[in-house]
Amino acid sequence: MELRHLRYFVAVAETGSFTTAAEQRLHTAQPSLSRQIRDLEEEVGVDLLIRGARGVELTAAGQAFLEHARGTLAQAQSAIDAARRAARRLKPVFALGFLTGQEIEWLPEAMRVLRDELPKIEVTVSSQYSPSLRDALVKGDLDLAFMRPEPNVPELEYRLVVKEPLVVVLPSDHPLAACEKIALQQFIGETFIIVSHTAPTVRTVIDEFVLQSGLDIRASYEVDNLAMAVSLVASTRGLALLPCYARNFLPSSLTSRPLAVESPTIDLVIGYSRANTSPILSLFLSRIDHLLARCRSIAAENQASIA
């Protein structure tokens, strides 16, 4: 008796039809299925099914056999799952985190660093707010994250990737879209959309920039993420100050412009725990200079395109 015999029997018992079981559950020919069930009944030594005009019914022996057949198949699947989990654990896991939206730009760069190691390791990727990435690094749930430098976390080490300038995001047909650059004074009287404290580093930079200008510019809306910012700019025809990577996610109905003054910048860093002894992390960090050089070259090109 083989597991396939049990699978065939359970499929026929549950569907009540050789035809349905063959075509929809087992994807095999009905004559082959009927032959397999006959072989099973011969091995068991009793009839398990009653074949009639209205379909298939279980005999009393078939009812008893069905319960044990299901249990055996479940145990077999559990054994398979356990073996696969054990095999996966043989590979070291390297857990990467990204500030939501940044993975599109920086995940390929990170994977390029690990290219030679990829056959030997399992890489997991998560996308979260920067404070959540901070917590995951401290707990050991992540090995490394592309994030904002979160203050007052002595357990973490940061290395600068790029300094991202703020840009103005606005509707493509907004009157200010005709300007090559936008002065902060032009925000006065406009709907101003600002990030909430879910992104505390970005919010602090924007608040300080507006405060130092001495202008009476107040936010009309606060948004928790980039998708909300894009949606509100489109629906309210307002203006938003966002890190320049937001340009990668703008639909054709929105555009971006640089500020007329020197733009404040927001650091994007890689963060990791000082206590993390992962050999994959050590390897990644040993190769980080090449990655950072590439990142800064890309950033320089992006800033040149903004200017």
Side-chain angles (χ1 to χ4, degrees), residues 192-197 203 219-224 228 232:
F192 180 33
I193 297 156
I194 194 170
V195 299
S196 72
H197 289 284
R203 177 59 181 265
S220 304
Y221 299 96
E222 292 189 357
V223 294
D224 291 339
M228 287 178 62
L232 270 177

Side-chain angles (χ1 to χ4, degrees), residues 241-271:
L241 281 174
L242 296 172
C244 67
Y245 83 95
R247 297 182 309 160
N248 297 330
F249 305 95
L250 300 183
S252 58
S253 60
L254 301 184
T255 189
S256 67
R257 294 290 182 270
L259 287 161
V261 297
E262 183 178 354
S263 173
T265 60
I266 301 161
D267 291 352
L268 179 73
V269 300
I270 55 169

